[in-house]
Amino acid sequence: MKKVKGKYTLGPDIDLDSEVVLDRDGIRITERRARKLAEEVISQKVGRPSLTGVGKQSPEIKARVPLKLKKSLQREAKRRGLTSSELVRQAIEEFLRSA
């Protein structure tokens, strides 16, 4: 058996149509269902939607701030119904418009 990333071990292949394997809800996993589940997982998009454009990665800006400033940002963002990232983007845009 081959060890794969940490706690998982690859074993021999099994025929899900002849061997009964159940998911955590007790529903049987057949070869057809396993293929469908794998396709769904593979087709899932990961991460947040791009702000730059479809299929493009949005660049990140990172900055260290004092804890008090971070907490103030989080409170204000929550008060406005925004995420901290949305509020930071708005603040940067406003600052650059007035510069």
Coordinates of all heavy atoms in Angstrom, one line a residue:
M1 N 0.8 -1.2 0.0 CA 0.0 0.0 0.0 C 0.9 1.2 0.0 O 1.9 1.3 0.6 CB -0.9 0.0 1.2 CG -1.8 -1.2 1.4 SD -3.5 -0.6 1.5 CE -4.3 -2.2 1.5
K2 N 0.4 2.3 -0.7 CA 1.2 3.5 -0.8 C 0.6 4.6 0.0 O -0.6 4.9 -0.1 CB 1.2 3.9 -2.3 CG 1.9 5.1 -2.7 CD 1.8 5.4 -4.1 CE 2.4 6.7 -4.5 NZ 2.2 7.1 -5.9
K3 N 1.4 5.3 0.8 CA 0.9 6.4 1.7 C 0.8 7.7 0.8 O 1.7 8.0 0.0 CB 1.9 6.6 2.8 CG 1.4 7.5 3.9 CD 1.1 6.7 5.1 CE 0.8 7.7 6.2 NZ 0.0 7.1 7.2
V4 N -0.3 8.4 1.0 CA -0.5 9.6 0.2 C -0.8 10.7 1.2 O -1.8 10.7 1.9 CB -1.7 9.4 -0.8 CG1 -2.0 10.7 -1.5 CG2 -1.5 8.3 -1.7
K5 N 0.0 11.8 1.1 CA -0.2 13.0 1.9 C -0.8 12.8 3.3 O -2.0 12.9 3.5 CB -1.0 14.0 1.2 CG -0.3 14.6 0.0 CD -1.0 15.8 -0.5 CE -0.2 16.4 -1.7 NZ -0.8 17.6 -2.2
G6 N 0.0 12.4 4.2 CA -0.5 12.3 5.6 C -1.2 11.0 6.0 O -0.6 10.0 5.9
K7 N -2.5 11.1 6.3 CA -3.1 10.0 6.9 C -3.8 9.0 5.9 O -4.3 8.0 6.2 CB -4.2 10.4 7.9 CG -5.3 11.2 7.2 CD -6.3 11.7 8.2 CE -7.4 12.5 7.6 NZ -8.4 12.9 8.5
Y8 N -3.7 9.3 4.6 CA -4.4 8.5 3.6 C -3.5 7.5 3.0 O -2.3 7.7 2.8 CB -5.0 9.4 2.5 CG -6.0 10.4 3.0 CD1 -5.7 11.7 3.2 CD2 -7.3 10.0 3.4 CE1 -6.6 12.6 3.7 CE2 -8.2 10.9 3.9 CZ -7.8 12.2 4.0 OH -8.7 13.1 4.5
T9 N -4.0 6.3 2.8 CA -3.2 5.2 2.2 C -4.0 4.7 1.0 O -5.2 4.4 1.1 CB -3.1 4.1 3.2 OG1 -2.4 4.6 4.4 CG2 -2.2 3.0 2.6
L10 N -3.3 4.6 -0.2 CA -3.9 4.0 -1.4 C -4.0 2.5 -1.2 O -3.0 1.9 -0.9 CB -3.1 4.4 -2.6 CG -3.2 5.9 -3.1 CD1 -2.4 6.1 -4.3 CD2 -4.7 6.3 -3.3
G11 N -5.1 1.9 -1.5 CA -5.2 0.5 -1.5 C -5.5 0.0 -2.9 O -5.5 0.8 -3.8
P12 N -5.8 -1.3 -3.0 CA -6.2 -1.8 -4.3 C -7.5 -1.2 -4.8 O -8.3 -0.8 -4.0 CB -6.3 -3.3 -4.0 CG -6.6 -3.4 -2.6 CD -6.0 -2.2 -1.9
D13 N -7.6 -1.1 -6.1 CA -8.9 -0.6 -6.7 C -10.0 -1.6 -6.4 O -9.7 -2.8 -6.2 CB -8.8 -0.5 -8.2 CG -7.9 0.6 -8.6 OD1 -7.6 1.5 -7.8 OD2 -7.4 0.7 -9.8
I14 N -11.2 -1.1 -6.2 CA -12.3 -2.0 -6.0 C -13.4 -1.7 -7.0 O -13.5 -0.6 -7.6 CB -12.9 -1.8 -4.6 CG1 -13.4 -0.4 -4.4 CG2 -12.0 -2.2 -3.5 CD1 -14.2 -0.2 -3.1
D15 N -14.2 -2.7 -7.3 CA -15.4 -2.6 -8.2 C -16.6 -2.2 -7.4 O -17.1 -3.0 -6.6 CB -15.6 -3.9 -8.9 CG -16.8 -3.8 -9.9 OD1 -17.4 -2.8 -10.0 OD2 -17.0 -4.8 -10.6
L16 N -17.0 -0.9 -7.4 CA -18.1 -0.4 -6.6 C -19.4 -1.0 -7.0 O -20.4 -0.9 -6.2 CB -18.1 1.1 -6.7 CG -16.9 1.8 -6.0 CD1 -16.9 3.3 -6.4 CD2 -16.9 1.6 -4.5
D17 N -19.5 -1.6 -8.2 CA -20.8 -2.2 -8.6 C -20.9 -3.6 -7.9 O -22.0 -4.1 -7.8 CB -20.9 -2.3 -10.1 CG -21.1 -0.9 -10.7 OD1 -21.7 -0.1 -10.0 OD2 -20.7 -0.7 -11.8
S18 N -19.8 -4.2 -7.5 CA -19.9 -5.6 -6.9 C -19.6 -5.5 -5.4 O -20.1 -6.3 -4.7 CB -18.9 -6.5 -7.6 OG -17.6 -6.1 -7.4
E19 N -18.9 -4.5 -4.9 CA -18.6 -4.4 -3.5 C -19.5 -3.2 -3.0 O -19.6 -2.2 -3.6 CB -17.1 -4.1 -3.3 CG -16.7 -4.3 -1.9 CD -15.2 -4.4 -1.7 OE1 -14.5 -4.8 -2.6 OE2 -14.7 -4.1 -0.6
V20 N -20.1 -3.5 -1.8 CA -21.0 -2.4 -1.2 C -20.1 -1.5 -0.4 O -19.5 -1.9 0.5 CB -22.1 -3.1 -0.4 CG1 -22.9 -2.0 0.3 CG2 -22.9 -4.0 -1.2
V21 N -20.1 -0.2 -0.8 CA -19.5 0.9 -0.1 C -20.5 2.0 0.1 O -21.2 2.4 -0.8 CB -18.3 1.5 -0.9 CG1 -17.7 2.6 -0.2 CG2 -17.3 0.4 -1.2
L22 N -20.7 2.4 1.4 CA -21.7 3.4 1.7 C -21.0 4.8 2.0 O -19.9 4.8 2.6 CB -22.5 3.0 2.9 CG -23.2 1.6 2.7 CD1 -23.9 1.2 4.0 CD2 -24.1 1.6 1.5
D23 N -21.7 5.8 1.7 CA -21.2 7.2 2.1 C -21.6 7.4 3.6 O -22.3 6.6 4.2 CB -21.6 8.3 1.2 CG -23.1 8.5 1.2 OD1 -23.8 8.0 2.1 OD2 -23.6 9.2 0.3
R24 N -21.3 8.6 4.1 CA -21.6 8.8 5.5 C -23.1 8.9 5.8 O -23.5 8.8 6.9 CB -20.9 10.1 6.0 CG -21.5 11.4 5.4 CD -20.9 12.6 6.1 NE -19.7 12.9 5.4 CZ -18.9 13.9 5.6 NH1 -19.3 14.8 6.5 NH2 -17.8 14.2 4.9
D25 N -23.9 9.1 4.7 CA -25.4 9.1 4.9 C -26.0 7.7 4.7 O -27.2 7.6 4.7 CB -26.0 10.1 4.0 CG -25.6 11.5 4.3 OD1 -25.5 11.9 5.4 OD2 -25.4 12.3 3.3
G26 N -25.1 6.7 4.5 CA -25.6 5.4 4.3 C -26.1 5.1 2.9 O -26.7 4.0 2.6
I27 N -25.8 6.0 1.9 CA -26.2 5.8 0.5 C -25.0 5.0 -0.2 O -23.9 5.4 -0.1 CB -26.5 7.1 -0.1 CG1 -27.6 7.8 0.6 CG2 -26.8 6.9 -1.6 CD1 -27.9 9.3 0.2
R28 N -25.4 4.1 -1.0 CA -24.4 3.2 -1.7 C -23.7 4.1 -2.8 O -24.3 4.8 -3.5 CB -25.1 2.0 -2.3 CG -24.1 1.1 -3.0 CD -24.6 -0.2 -3.4 NE -23.6 -1.0 -4.0 CZ -23.8 -2.1 -4.6 NH1 -25.0 -2.6 -4.7 NH2 -22.8 -2.8 -5.1
I29 N -22.4 3.9 -2.9 CA -21.6 4.5 -3.9 C -21.3 3.4 -5.0 O -20.6 2.5 -4.7 CB -20.3 5.0 -3.3 CG1 -20.5 6.0 -2.2 CG2 -19.4 5.6 -4.5 CD1 -19.3 6.5 -1.5
T30 N -21.9 3.7 -6.2 CA -21.7 2.8 -7.3 C -20.6 3.4 -8.2 O -20.2 4.6 -8.0 CB -23.0 2.6 -8.1 OG1 -23.3 3.9 -8.6 CG2 -24.1 2.0 -7.3
E31 N -20.1 2.7 -9.2 CA -19.1 3.2 -10.1 C -19.7 4.5 -10.8 O -19.0 5.5 -10.9 CB -18.7 2.2 -11.2 CG -17.9 1.0 -10.6 CD -16.5 1.4 -10.2 OE1 -16.0 2.4 -10.8 OE2 -16.0 0.7 -9.4
R32 N -20.9 4.4 -11.2 CA -21.6 5.6 -11.9 C -21.6 6.8 -11.0 O -21.3 7.9 -11.4 CB -23.0 5.2 -12.4 CG -23.7 6.3 -13.1 CD -25.0 5.8 -13.6 NE -25.7 6.9 -14.2 CZ -27.0 6.8 -14.6 NH1 -27.7 5.7 -14.4 NH2 -27.5 7.9 -15.2
R33 N -22.0 6.6 -9.7 CA -22.1 7.7 -8.8 C -20.7 8.2 -8.4 O -20.6 9.4 -8.3 CB -22.8 7.2 -7.5 CG -23.0 8.3 -6.5 CD -24.1 8.0 -5.5 NE -24.1 9.1 -4.5 CZ -23.9 9.0 -3.2 NH1 -23.6 7.8 -2.7 NH2 -23.9 10.0 -2.5
A34 N -19.8 7.3 -8.3 CA -18.4 7.8 -8.0 C -17.9 8.7 -9.1 O -17.2 9.7 -8.9 CB -17.5 6.6 -7.8
R35 N -18.1 8.3 -10.4 CA -17.7 9.1 -11.5 C -18.4 10.4 -11.5 O -17.7 11.5 -11.7 CB -18.0 8.4 -12.8 CG -16.8 7.6 -13.4 CD -17.1 7.1 -14.8 NE -18.3 6.3 -15.0 CZ -18.4 5.1 -14.7 NH1 -17.4 4.4 -14.2 NH2 -19.6 4.5 -14.9
K36 N -19.7 10.5 -11.2 CA -20.4 11.7 -11.2 C -19.9 12.6 -10.0 O -19.7 13.8 -10.2 CB -21.9 11.4 -11.0 CG -22.8 12.7 -11.0 CD -24.2 12.3 -10.8 CE -25.1 13.6 -10.8 NZ -26.4 13.4 -10.4
L37 N -19.7 12.0 -8.9 CA -19.1 12.8 -7.7 C -17.7 13.4 -8.1 O -17.5 14.6 -7.8 CB -19.0 12.0 -6.5 CG -20.4 11.6 -5.8 CD1 -20.2 10.5 -4.8 CD2 -21.1 12.8 -5.3
A38 N -16.9 12.6 -8.7 CA -15.6 13.0 -9.1 C -15.7 14.2 -10.1 O -14.9 15.2 -10.0 CB -14.8 11.9 -9.7
E39 N -16.6 14.1 -11.1 CA -16.7 15.2 -12.1 C -17.2 16.5 -11.4 O -16.7 17.5 -11.7 CB -17.7 14.7 -13.1 CG -17.2 13.7 -14.1 CD -18.3 13.1 -15.0 OE1 -19.4 13.6 -15.0 OE2 -17.9 12.2 -15.7
E40 N -18.1 16.3 -10.4 CA -18.6 17.5 -9.7 C -17.4 18.2 -8.9 O -17.3 19.4 -9.0 CB -19.7 17.2 -8.7 CG -21.0 16.8 -9.4 CD -22.0 16.3 -8.4 OE1 -21.8 16.3 -7.2 OE2 -23.1 15.9 -8.9
V41 N -16.6 17.4 -8.3 CA -15.5 18.0 -7.5 C -14.5 18.6 -8.4 O -14.0 19.7 -8.2 CB -14.8 16.9 -6.7 CG1 -13.5 17.4 -6.1 CG2 -15.7 16.4 -5.6
I42 N -14.2 18.0 -9.5 CA -13.2 18.5 -10.5 C -13.7 19.8 -11.1 O -12.9 20.7 -11.3 CB -12.8 17.5 -11.6 CG1 -12.0 16.3 -10.9 CG2 -12.1 18.1 -12.7 CD1 -11.9 15.1 -11.8
S43 N -15.0 19.9 -11.4 CA -15.5 21.1 -12.0 C -15.8 22.3 -11.1 O -16.0 23.4 -11.6 CB -16.8 20.7 -12.8 OG -17.8 20.5 -11.8
Q44 N -15.6 22.1 -9.8 CA -15.9 23.1 -8.8 C -14.8 24.2 -8.9 O -13.6 23.9 -9.1 CB -15.9 22.6 -7.4 CG -17.2 21.9 -7.1 CD -17.1 21.3 -5.6 OE1 -16.1 21.4 -5.0 NE2 -18.2 20.8 -5.2
K45 N -15.2 25.4 -8.9 CA -14.3 26.5 -8.9 C -13.8 26.7 -7.4 O -14.6 26.6 -6.5 CB -15.0 27.8 -9.3 CG -15.6 27.7 -10.7 CD -15.0 28.6 -11.6 CE -15.7 28.5 -13.0 NZ -14.8 28.6 -14.0
V46 N -12.6 27.0 -7.3 CA -12.1 27.3 -5.9 C -11.7 28.7 -5.8 O -11.3 29.4 -6.7 CB -10.8 26.4 -5.6 CG1 -11.2 24.9 -5.5 CG2 -9.7 26.6 -6.6
G47 N -11.8 29.2 -4.6 CA -11.5 30.6 -4.3 C -12.6 31.5 -4.6 O -13.7 31.2 -4.9
R48 N -12.3 32.8 -4.5 CA -13.3 33.8 -4.7 C -13.3 34.3 -6.2 O -12.3 34.1 -6.9 CB -13.0 35.0 -3.8 CG -13.0 34.6 -2.3 CD -12.9 35.9 -1.5 NE -13.0 35.5 -0.1 CZ -14.1 35.4 0.6 NH1 -15.2 35.6 0.1 NH2 -14.0 35.1 1.9
P49 N -14.4 34.9 -6.6 CA -14.5 35.3 -8.0 C -13.4 36.4 -8.3 O -13.1 37.2 -7.4 CB -15.9 35.9 -8.1 CG -16.6 35.6 -6.9 CD -15.6 35.1 -5.9
S50 N -12.9 36.4 -9.5 CA -11.9 37.4 -9.8 C -12.5 38.8 -9.9 O -13.6 39.0 -10.4 CB -11.3 37.1 -11.2 OG -10.4 38.1 -11.6
L51 N -11.7 39.8 -9.4 CA -12.1 41.2 -9.5 C -11.5 41.8 -10.8 O -11.9 42.9 -11.2 CB -11.6 42.0 -8.3 CG -12.1 41.5 -6.9 CD1 -11.4 42.2 -5.8 CD2 -13.6 41.7 -6.8
T52 N -10.6 41.1 -11.4 CA -9.9 41.6 -12.6 C -10.6 41.2 -13.8 O -10.7 42.0 -14.8 CB -8.4 41.0 -12.6 OG1 -7.8 41.3 -11.4 CG2 -7.6 41.5 -13.7
G53 N -11.2 40.0 -13.9 CA -11.9 39.5 -15.1 C -12.0 38.0 -15.0 O -11.3 37.4 -14.3
V54 N -12.9 37.5 -15.8 CA -13.1 36.1 -15.9 C -11.8 35.3 -16.3 O -11.2 35.7 -17.2 CB -14.2 35.7 -16.9 CG1 -14.4 34.2 -17.0 CG2 -15.5 36.4 -16.5
G55 N -11.5 34.3 -15.5 CA -10.3 33.5 -15.7 C -9.0 34.2 -15.4 O -8.0 33.7 -15.7
K56 N -9.1 35.4 -14.7 CA -7.9 36.1 -14.4 C -7.8 36.1 -12.8 O -8.8 36.2 -12.1 CB -7.9 37.5 -14.9 CG -7.8 37.5 -16.4 CD -7.8 38.9 -16.9 CE -7.7 38.9 -18.5 NZ -7.7 40.2 -19.0
Q57 N -6.6 36.1 -12.3 CA -6.3 36.2 -10.9 C -6.3 37.7 -10.5 O -5.7 38.5 -11.1 CB -5.0 35.5 -10.5 CG -4.8 35.5 -9.1 CD -3.5 34.7 -8.7 OE1 -2.8 34.2 -9.6 NE2 -3.2 34.6 -7.5
S58 N -6.9 38.0 -9.3 CA -6.9 39.3 -8.8 C -5.6 39.4 -7.9 O -5.4 38.6 -7.1 CB -8.1 39.6 -7.9 OG -9.3 39.5 -8.7
P59 N -4.8 40.5 -8.2 CA -3.6 40.7 -7.3 C -4.0 41.0 -5.9 O -5.1 41.5 -5.6 CB -2.9 41.8 -8.0 CG -3.8 42.4 -9.0 CD -5.0 41.5 -9.2
E60 N -3.1 40.7 -5.0 CA -3.4 41.0 -3.6 C -2.4 42.1 -3.1 O -1.3 42.2 -3.6 CB -3.1 39.8 -2.7 CG -4.1 38.7 -2.7 CD -3.8 37.6 -1.8 OE1 -2.7 37.0 -2.0 OE2 -4.6 37.4 -0.9
I61 N -2.9 42.9 -2.1 CA -2.0 43.9 -1.5 C -2.0 43.5 0.0 O -3.1 43.3 0.6 CB -2.5 45.3 -1.6 CG1 -2.5 45.7 -3.1 CG2 -1.7 46.3 -0.8 CD1 -3.2 47.1 -3.4
K62 N -0.9 43.4 0.6 CA -0.8 43.0 2.0 C -0.1 44.1 2.8 O 0.8 44.7 2.3 CB -0.1 41.7 2.2 CG -0.8 40.5 1.6 CD -0.1 39.2 1.9 CE -0.9 38.1 1.3 NZ -0.4 36.8 1.7
A63 N -0.6 44.4 4.0 CA 0.0 45.4 4.8 C -0.2 45.0 6.3 O -1.2 44.5 6.6 CB -0.7 46.8 4.6
R64 N 0.8 45.3 7.0 CA 0.7 45.1 8.5 C 0.2 46.3 9.1 O 0.5 47.4 8.8 CB 2.1 44.7 9.1 CG 2.6 43.4 8.5 CD 3.8 43.0 9.3 NE 4.3 41.7 8.8 CZ 3.9 40.5 9.2 NH1 2.9 40.4 10.0 NH2 4.4 39.4 8.6
V65 N -0.8 46.1 10.1 CA -1.4 47.3 10.8 C -1.5 46.9 12.3 O -1.4 45.8 12.6 CB -2.8 47.6 10.2 CG1 -2.8 48.0 8.8 CG2 -3.7 46.4 10.4
P66 N -1.6 48.0 13.1 CA -1.8 47.7 14.5 C -3.1 47.0 14.8 O -4.1 47.2 14.0 CB -1.8 49.1 15.2 CG -1.2 50.0 14.1 CD -1.4 49.4 12.8
L67 N -3.2 46.2 15.8 CA -4.4 45.4 16.1 C -5.6 46.3 16.3 O -6.7 46.0 15.8 CB -4.2 44.6 17.4 CG -5.3 43.7 17.8 CD1 -5.7 42.7 16.7 CD2 -5.0 43.0 19.1
K68 N -5.4 47.5 16.9 CA -6.5 48.4 17.1 C -7.1 48.9 15.8 O -8.3 49.0 15.6 CB -6.0 49.6 17.9 CG -7.1 50.6 18.3 CD -6.5 51.7 19.2 CE -7.5 52.7 19.6 NZ -7.0 53.8 20.4
L69 N -6.2 49.1 14.8 CA -6.7 49.6 13.4 C -7.5 48.4 12.8 O -8.5 48.7 12.2 CB -5.5 50.0 12.6 CG -5.8 50.5 11.2 CD1 -6.8 51.7 11.2 CD2 -4.5 50.9 10.5
K70 N -7.0 47.2 12.9 CA -7.6 46.1 12.3 C -9.0 45.9 12.9 O -10.0 45.7 12.1 CB -6.8 44.8 12.4 CG -7.5 43.6 11.8 CD -6.7 42.3 12.0 CE -7.5 41.2 11.4 NZ -6.9 39.9 11.6
K71 N -9.1 46.0 14.2 CA -10.4 45.8 14.8 C -11.4 46.9 14.4 O -12.6 46.7 14.2 CB -10.3 45.7 16.3 CG -9.6 44.4 16.8 CD -9.6 44.2 18.3 CE -9.0 42.9 18.6 NZ -9.4 42.4 19.8
S72 N -10.9 48.2 14.3 CA -11.7 49.3 13.9 C -12.2 49.0 12.5 O -13.4 49.3 12.2 CB -10.9 50.6 13.9 OG -10.6 50.9 15.2
L73 N -11.4 48.6 11.6 CA -11.7 48.2 10.2 C -12.8 47.2 10.2 O -13.9 47.3 9.5 CB -10.5 47.7 9.4 CG -10.8 47.1 8.1 CD1 -11.3 48.2 7.1 CD2 -9.6 46.5 7.5
Q74 N -12.7 46.1 11.0 CA -13.7 45.1 11.0 C -15.0 45.6 11.6 O -16.1 45.2 11.0 CB -13.2 43.9 11.9 CG -12.0 43.2 11.3 CD -11.3 42.2 12.2 OE1 -11.3 42.4 13.4 NE2 -10.8 41.1 11.6
R75 N -15.0 46.4 12.6 CA -16.2 46.9 13.1 C -17.0 47.8 12.1 O -18.2 47.7 11.9 CB -16.0 47.8 14.4 CG -15.9 47.0 15.7 CD -16.0 47.9 16.9 NE -15.0 48.9 16.9 CZ -13.7 48.7 17.4 NH1 -13.3 47.6 17.8 NH2 -12.9 49.8 17.3
E76 N -16.2 48.7 11.4 CA -16.8 49.6 10.5 C -17.3 48.8 9.3 O -18.4 49.1 8.8 CB -15.8 50.6 10.0 CG -16.4 51.7 9.0 CD -17.5 52.5 9.6 OE1 -17.7 52.6 10.8 OE2 -18.3 53.0 8.8
A77 N -16.6 47.8 8.8 CA -17.0 47.0 7.7 C -18.4 46.3 8.1 O -19.3 46.3 7.3 CB -16.0 46.0 7.3
K78 N -18.4 45.7 9.3 CA -19.6 45.0 9.7 C -20.8 46.0 9.8 O -21.9 45.7 9.4 CB -19.4 44.4 11.1 CG -20.5 43.6 11.6 CD -20.2 42.9 12.9 CE -21.3 42.0 13.3 NZ -21.0 41.3 14.6
R79 N -20.5 47.2 10.3 CA -21.6 48.2 10.4 C -22.1 48.6 9.1 O -23.3 48.8 8.9 CB -21.0 49.5 11.1 CG -22.0 50.6 11.4 CD -21.4 51.8 12.0 NE -20.7 52.6 11.0 CZ -21.3 53.4 10.0 NH1 -22.6 53.4 10.0 NH2 -20.6 54.1 9.2
R80 N -21.3 48.6 8.1 CA -21.7 49.0 6.7 C -22.2 47.8 5.9 O -22.7 47.9 4.8 CB -20.6 49.6 5.9 CG -20.1 50.9 6.4 CD -19.0 51.4 5.6 NE -18.4 52.7 6.1 CZ -17.9 53.6 5.4 NH1 -17.9 53.5 4.1 NH2 -17.5 54.7 5.9
G81 N -22.1 46.6 6.5 CA -22.6 45.4 5.8 C -21.6 44.9 4.7 O -22.0 44.4 3.7
L82 N -20.3 45.2 4.9 CA -19.3 44.9 3.9 C -18.3 44.0 4.5 O -18.2 43.8 5.8 CB -18.5 46.2 3.5 CG -19.3 47.3 2.8 CD1 -18.5 48.5 2.7 CD2 -19.9 46.9 1.5
T83 N -17.4 43.4 3.7 CA -16.3 42.7 4.2 C -15.1 43.7 4.4 O -15.2 44.8 3.9 CB -15.8 41.6 3.3 OG1 -15.3 42.2 2.1 CG2 -16.9 40.6 2.9
S84 N -14.1 43.3 5.2 CA -13.0 44.2 5.4 C -12.3 44.5 4.1 O -11.9 45.6 3.8 CB -12.0 43.5 6.4 OG -12.5 43.4 7.6
S85 N -12.2 43.5 3.2 CA -11.6 43.7 1.9 C -12.4 44.7 1.1 O -11.8 45.6 0.4 CB -11.5 42.4 1.1 OG -10.6 41.5 1.8
E86 N -13.7 44.6 1.1 CA -14.5 45.6 0.3 C -14.3 47.0 0.8 O -14.2 47.9 0.0 CB -16.0 45.2 0.4 CG -16.4 43.9 -0.4 CD -17.8 43.4 0.0 OE1 -18.2 43.6 1.1 OE2 -18.4 42.9 -1.0
L87 N -14.3 47.1 2.1 CA -14.1 48.5 2.7 C -12.7 49.0 2.4 O -12.6 50.2 2.0 CB -14.3 48.5 4.2 CG -14.3 49.8 4.9 CD1 -15.2 50.8 4.3 CD2 -14.6 49.6 6.4
V88 N -11.7 48.2 2.4 CA -10.3 48.6 2.1 C -10.3 49.0 0.6 O -9.7 50.1 0.3 CB -9.3 47.5 2.4 CG1 -7.9 47.8 1.8 CG2 -9.1 47.3 3.9
R89 N -10.9 48.3 -0.3 CA -10.9 48.6 -1.7 C -11.6 50.0 -1.9 O -11.1 50.8 -2.6 CB -11.6 47.6 -2.5 CG -10.7 46.4 -2.8 CD -11.3 45.5 -3.9 NE -12.6 44.9 -3.5 CZ -12.7 43.7 -2.8 NH1 -11.6 43.1 -2.4 NH2 -13.9 43.2 -2.5
Q90 N -12.7 50.2 -1.2 CA -13.4 51.5 -1.3 C -12.5 52.6 -0.8 O -12.5 53.7 -1.5 CB -14.7 51.4 -0.5 CG -15.8 50.7 -1.2 CD -17.1 50.7 -0.3 OE1 -17.2 51.4 0.7 NE2 -18.1 49.9 -0.8
A91 N -11.9 52.4 0.3 CA -11.0 53.5 0.9 C -9.9 53.8 -0.1 O -9.6 55.0 -0.3 CB -10.5 53.0 2.2
I92 N -9.3 52.8 -0.7 CA -8.1 53.0 -1.6 C -8.6 53.8 -2.8 O -8.0 54.8 -3.3 CB -7.4 51.7 -2.0 CG1 -6.7 51.1 -0.8 CG2 -6.5 51.9 -3.1 CD1 -6.2 49.7 -1.0
E93 N -9.8 53.4 -3.4 CA -10.3 54.0 -4.5 C -10.6 55.5 -4.2 O -10.3 56.4 -5.0 CB -11.6 53.3 -5.0 CG -11.3 52.0 -5.7 CD -12.5 51.2 -6.0 OE1 -13.7 51.6 -5.6 OE2 -12.4 50.1 -6.6
E94 N -11.3 55.8 -3.1 CA -11.6 57.2 -2.7 C -10.3 58.0 -2.5 O -10.2 59.1 -3.0 CB -12.4 57.2 -1.4 CG -13.9 56.8 -1.6 CD -14.7 56.8 -0.3 OE1 -14.3 57.6 0.6 OE2 -15.6 56.0 -0.2
F95 N -9.3 57.4 -1.9 CA -8.1 58.1 -1.7 C -7.4 58.5 -3.0 O -7.0 59.6 -3.2 CB -7.1 57.2 -0.8 CG -5.7 57.8 -0.7 CD1 -5.5 58.9 0.2 CD2 -4.7 57.4 -1.5 CE1 -4.2 59.4 0.3 CE2 -3.4 57.9 -1.5 CZ -3.2 58.9 -0.6
L96 N -7.4 57.5 -3.9 CA -6.7 57.7 -5.2 C -7.5 58.7 -6.1 O -6.9 59.5 -6.9 CB -6.5 56.4 -6.0 CG -5.5 55.5 -5.3 CD1 -5.4 54.1 -6.0 CD2 -4.1 56.1 -5.2
R97 N -8.8 58.7 -6.0 CA -9.6 59.7 -6.7 C -9.3 61.1 -6.2 O -9.3 62.1 -7.0 CB -11.1 59.4 -6.6 CG -11.7 58.5 -7.6 CD -13.2 58.5 -7.6 NE -13.8 58.2 -6.4 CZ -14.1 57.0 -6.0 NH1 -13.9 55.9 -6.8 NH2 -14.7 56.8 -4.8
S98 N -9.1 61.3 -5.0 CA -8.9 62.6 -4.4 C -7.4 63.0 -4.4 O -7.1 64.2 -4.1 CB -9.4 62.7 -3.0 OG -8.6 61.9 -2.1
A99 N -6.5 62.1 -4.8 CA -5.1 62.4 -4.8 C -4.7 63.3 -6.0 O -5.3 63.4 -7.0 CB -4.3 61.1 -4.9

